[in-house]
Amino acid sequence: MSKFIATAVLLFLSAFHLIGQNSLMVNAYNRASISLNGDWKYIVDPYENGFYNYRYQPFENQDNPGKGAFFTNAKRADKADLVEYDFDKMEDLKIPGDWNSQEEKLFYYEGTVWLKKSFEYKRTAKGKRVFLYFGAANYRSDVYFNGKKLGAHVGGFTPFQYEVTDHLKVGSNFVVVKVDNKRIKHEVPTLNTDWWNYGGITRDVKLIETSETFISDYVVQLDSNKLINIKVQLDGPELAKQAVTIDIPALNISKSIVTNASGKGMLSISSENIAYWSPDSPKLYQVKLSTSQDEIEDQIGFRTIDTNGPDILLNGKSIFLKGISIHEESPITKGRCNSKDDAKQLLKWVKSLGCNYVRLAHYPHNEHMIRLADEMGILVWEEIPVYWTIAWENEETYINAENQISEVITRDQNRASVIIWSMANETPTSEARNHFLGKLAKFTKDKDPTRLISAALEQHNFQGNKNVRTIDDPFAKIADVLSFNQYIGWYDGNIEKCQTIQWNIQENKPVIVSEFGAGAKFGLHGDKDERWTEEYQEYLYQETLKMIDQIDQLRGVSPWILVDFRSPRRVLPEIQDNYNRKGLISENGEKKKAFFVLKKYYDAKVWPK
Ligand code: GCB
């Protein structure tokens, strides 16, 4: 393939993931908006009958899509008219919310569902711009506004938006989204995971109103020299020579930047009096950015994060990450959770466990989690679903992964709590995989040089000796923090085996044990060698913590997992019933015995030693 064709193919592929999408605006959370959450009409369409005609050609590619195309929200013109669907006669799904847990008949459904929301827009959009924003929809979304295609987005856990200024009418409007959660081998994640693939519009939907030229992107973060670095980007017709003012009243900071021809501006400010953000003192400052047209506020914490040999340095001081892994499920909401209350409940448990850190597995969680982590003083590891057996050789798969990390960085780049970007989970080494992860890590470092890179790796026998374990993975050289999952005593022998293991980890880098755990059914009691009992899990935690404490470079732990979660892989009747039972808390909110073992370990951990 010639270089030109290869580049053209790449550009086409990268466009595929965000067709029509405008570059993502930062801090959608705090902008003036109109919520489109609530009841949406839905049509289940396993054959994608509303998308393709009977020759299997997409309606949207036809000059006249006709009345079979669901995105036109067609109505019968008169009694002779043939229209074979009617959104308004269908039932509702609550948005945000997955469809699997709202409708019994959709419990295991994977495929296409069409969702439609009609709404009145009462204001005039004159002098304003309006964007349709989705917090996330799993997995592929084709988005239509008043019958016109806005674009398509791929990836189930990151935000996307489209400008609708020119489509919006004063009066009635409608949005139709075709959401498809079919698992596909070359997607991210791939076919094979250990969590349920909840489909639907799982996070908030809103119309965001901005001025014609607005502050679309900004970073206000401390650099390693403890200077506040500010970067801004405008979007709109008046980009050049605009004054952007940054106010941080509590620090007596009020400074202006003048933008260049492409609407960018940069500034570094020193401040003597910053109270640094940390888990003990999660100080957030009110920050205001304004132009003659626009004004946006944020709550930002200032801290530095770095490593030195085996130490993780928060504001220059060594810290031990007392963590726990979490899936985005909570006992309050059945299914995929999204509300602030869900996030509060999960993070309250995290605090009561004595943690200062969470691993948000295995995909970007909703923004409430990160905002609350900022407020509550909990450090965060964020990851994308590059999990197990990804199609490493496929260029489109790589672009998809890169797009997902890029979107979550844009969303969370101003959150002090986020300290680690994780590239992947338990991925088998090969030349193609090493190349993929290396490229992804480089992309991530270039986009966000202020945070640490890691990936949950696996451990290996050292020089063939089963009792000595090491990390034998080329990614160890790239990672700032060396993390690995291990299940000695669960998948790998019985619990006594923990007493026979030694560690030989060569790298002089911080080590995090990113997973360990055992399944236990809440309320099931027995001997400590009986699988599935709370006693087995409790004993495994006791022995594992002793075992991993022998790793000299150990600077963090995030056992698997806070709460039992749904997984179709887990079919054992009366015990699993489609739940992964490695939670320290049941799906109904009951704490198991191992919860208190981990709490005791964290409460007793004195750091620095
Ligand atoms: C792992 C995976 C996690 C699984 C867990 C388990 O290593 O990273 O996604 O759920 O093991 O329970 O087997």
Side-chain angles (χ1 to χ4, degrees):
M1 194 163 19
S2 82
K3 214 170 168 187
F4 172 75
I5 299 176
T7 312
V9 168
L10 268 185
L11 284 175
F12 170 76
L13 290 174
S14 75
F16 174 78
H17 294 285
L18 31 131
I19 305 163
Q21 194 185 324
N22 308 105
S23 58
L24 199 58
M25 67 174 82
V26 84
N27 194 10
Y29 204 79
N30 283 341
R31 295 190 190 246
S33 65
I34 298 167
S35 172
L36 294 184
N37 289 348
D39 290 337
W40 287 52
K41 297 289 178 193
Y42 75 98
I43 299 175
V44 181
D45 188 15
Y47 284 22
E48 305 194 302
N49 180 50
F51 190 78
Y52 295 106
N53 68 16
Y54 81 125
R55 296 291 183 229
Y56 209 65
Q57 293 154 333
F59 286 118
E60 64 185 30
N61 295 349
Q62 317 294 309
D63 289 340
N64 177 8
K67 292 186 175 175
F70 288 1
F71 55 85
T72 64
N73 187 27
K75 299 286 168 206
R76 231 156 57 128
D78 54 48
K79 67 181 182 185
D81 202 11
L82 177 65
V83 182
E84 291 189 79
Y85 71 97
D86 186 348
F87 270 113
D88 293 314
K89 294 208 168 122
M90 304 303 289
E91 289 179 355
D92 295 314
L93 280 176
K94 288 264 180 264
I95 300 302
D98 68 85
W99 59 62
N100 308 90
S101 17
Q102 292 190 57
E103 267 299 338
E104 221 175 318
K105 61 178 190 265
L106 296 179
F107 187 63
Y108 270 148
Y109 181 73
E110 293 181 289
T112 278
V113 173
W114 294 82
L115 293 126
K116 192 233 24 161
K117 177 84 174 168
S118 295
F119 65 95
E120 294 289 310
Y121 186 73
K122 299 202 182 86
R123 311 181 208 176
T124 157
K126 242 197 165 136
K128 269 191 250 166
R129 293 170 71 189
V130 184
F131 294 83
L132 176 62
Y133 178 91
F134 294 83
N138 190 36
Y139 171 83
R140 178 185 162 110
S141 311
D142 289 86
V143 184
Y144 308 85
F145 196 89
N146 290 339
K148 292 268 171 334
K149 178 122 186 186
L150 297 176
H153 178 263
V154 167
F157 303 95
T158 47
F160 53 100
Q161 75 188 37
Y162 303 98
E163 181 158 11
V164 294
T165 315
D166 295 338
H167 302 280
L168 191 63
K169 295 182 289 188
V170 178
S172 305
N173 296 271
F174 65 91
V175 182
V176 172
V177 190
K178 171 187 180 293
V179 183
D180 182 1
N181 73 331
K182 270 193 293 297
R183 282 168 298 124
I184 297 175
K185 196 169 173 16
H186 68 264
E187 296 292 338
V188 182
T190 179
L191 295 168
N192 191 20
T193 69
D194 186 23
W195 69 84
W196 174 246
N197 173 32
Y198 292 108
I201 303 177
T202 49
R203 296 189 189 152
D204 300 335
V205 188
K206 52 192 177 182
L207 289 172
I208 297 178
E209 296 180 323
T210 72
S211 48
E212 286 208 64
T213 299
F214 69 103
I215 304 162
S216 58
D217 192 5
Y218 61 85
V219 182
V220 181
Q221 288 283 282
L222 217 54
D223 67 14
S224 47
N225 300 319
K226 297 201 165 161
L227 291 175
I228 302 177
N229 265 320
I230 301 167
K231 287 186 207 150
V232 294
Q233 171 73 62
L234 302 181
D235 183 316
E238 290 159 51
L239 296 178
K241 298 199 183 121
Q242 302 296 311
V244 183
T245 305
I246 291 94
D247 287 297
I248 312 177
L251 292 174
N252 282 324
I253 290 175
S254 179
K255 295 253 163 145
S256 283
I257 310 176
V258 176
T259 55
N260 68 12
S262 44
K264 282 189 204 311
M266 280 167 80
L267 181 69
S268 279
I269 307 174
S270 68
S271 175
E272 301 286 292
N273 311 319
I274 299 176
Y276 296 112
W277 185 98
S278 73
D280 293 336
S281 165
K283 168 77 184 161
L284 298 179
Y285 287 95
Q286 195 65 20
V287 176
K288 188 167 90 183
L289 292 98
S290 50
T291 65
S292 59
Q293 294 187 25
D294 193 18
E295 190 176 299
I296 182 151
E297 302 220 9
D298 210 341
Q299 300 73 40
I300 297 181
F302 298 114
R303 54 103 191 95
T304 61
I305 191 77
D306 229 321
T307 64
N308 181 20
D311 284 321
I312 298 173
L313 304 177
L314 178 71
N315 300 321
K317 287 196 208 100
S318 175
I319 185 164
F320 189 91
L321 302 177
K322 303 175 186 179
I324 187 74
S325 299
I326 313 186
H327 260 295
E328 199 178 40
E329 283 183 39
S330 117
I332 302 177
T333 306
K334 290 293 166 207
R336 188 57 80 224
C337 67
N338 173 70
S339 74
K340 203 166 179 178
D341 284 347
D342 288 311
K344 255 190 204 148
Q345 176 63 76
L346 292 168
L347 294 182
K348 262 193 204 160
W349 278 327
V350 166
K351 279 272 178 186
S352 71
L353 195 52
C355 296
N356 58 15
Y357 162 74
V358 283
R359 173 184 179 205
L360 300 183
H362 280 302
Y363 38 75
H365 287 213
N366 65 75
E367 199 172 343
H368 298 299
M369 286 291 276
I370 320 294
R371 294 268 177 182
L372 276 173
D374 256 20
E375 284 174 28
M376 294 168 71
I378 299 169
L379 296 156
V380 175
W381 153 310
E382 289 209 75
E383 74 188 66
I384 53 166
V386 174
Y387 183 93
W388 289 354
T389 56
I390 288 288
W392 307 111
E393 316 261 352
N394 189 336
E395 192 57 36
E396 196 187 323
T397 308
Y398 173 78
I399 291 166
N400 183 345
E402 190 182 279
N403 187 48
Q404 294 193 39
I405 192 84
S406 173
E407 286 172 340
V408 67
I409 293 173
T410 302
R411 192 192 69 180
D412 295 336
Q413 63 198 11
N414 290 308
R415 304 283 73 81
S417 54
V418 179
I419 53 166
I420 298 175
W421 299 119
S422 171
M423 304 294 97
N425 180 74
E426 287 184 358
T427 52
T429 59
S430 72
E431 214 166 290
R433 173 278 203 179
N434 301 343
H435 178 71
F436 186 114
L437 291 193
K439 211 163 133 192
L440 197 58
K442 179 167 184 328
F443 172 85
T444 304
K445 272 279 176 196
D446 287 347
K447 185 163 165 91
D448 180 4
T450 69
R451 292 181 174 81
L452 308 175
I453 301 270
S454 197
L457 306 176
E458 292 175 316
Q459 37 96 40
H460 311 89
N461 296 337
F462 180 69
Q463 294 176 347
N465 184 344
K466 286 190 186 143
N467 293 329
V468 184
R469 302 294 170 94
T470 190
I471 312 296
D472 183 10
D473 186 322
F475 194 77
K477 295 217 162 31
I478 295 171
D480 298 313
V481 175
L482 200 55
S483 308
F484 67 92
N485 302 346
Q486 69 78 28
Y487 283 89
I488 297 161
W490 185 254
Y491 296 124
D492 178 358
N494 54 27
I495 299 178
E496 277 72 34
K497 189 165 181 178
C498 295
Q499 295 160 7
T500 67
I501 298 294
Q502 289 171 2
W503 301 91
N504 188 337
I505 296 175
Q506 311 273 317
E507 287 78 8
N508 186 28
K509 291 186 176 187
V511 168
I512 295 179
V513 175
S514 35
E515 283 181 30
F516 73 82
K521 167 100 171 156
F522 172 78
L524 186 67
H525 295 287
D527 292 337
K528 61 185 186 179
D529 63 354
E530 188 181 344
R531 293 234 177 201
W532 307 113
T533 62
E534 287 192 44
E535 286 70 17
Y536 190 102
Q537 191 190 37
E538 178 185 41
Y539 184 39
L540 181 131
Y541 267 68
Q542 286 160 346
E543 292 303 308
T544 303
L545 291 167
K546 275 190 238 157
M547 173 182 72
I548 61 178
D549 256 342
Q550 292 167 27
I551 302 171
D552 290 338
Q553 307 95 314
L554 189 76
R555 292 297 182 274
V557 194
S558 53
W560 195 250
I561 188 170
L562 186 66
V563 185
D564 290 350
F565 61 97
R566 273 202 188 283
S567 170
R569 296 170 66 87
R570 309 295 173 173
V571 295
L572 185 65
E574 291 164 20
I575 301 281
Q576 293 178 316
D577 299 314
N578 299 314
Y579 279 92
N580 181 312
R581 293 286 176 207
K582 296 191 188 72
L584 293 177
I585 298 175
S586 75
E587 80 280 21
N588 298 317
E590 302 133 325
K591 290 181 182 139
K592 304 177 197 173
K593 288 179 125 185
F595 181 99
F596 301 97
V597 177
L598 187 60
K599 179 172 169 46
K600 198 167 153 202
Y601 172 79
Y602 286 154
D603 288 349
K605 188 105 204 153
V606 179
W607 201 264
K609 275 186 205 165

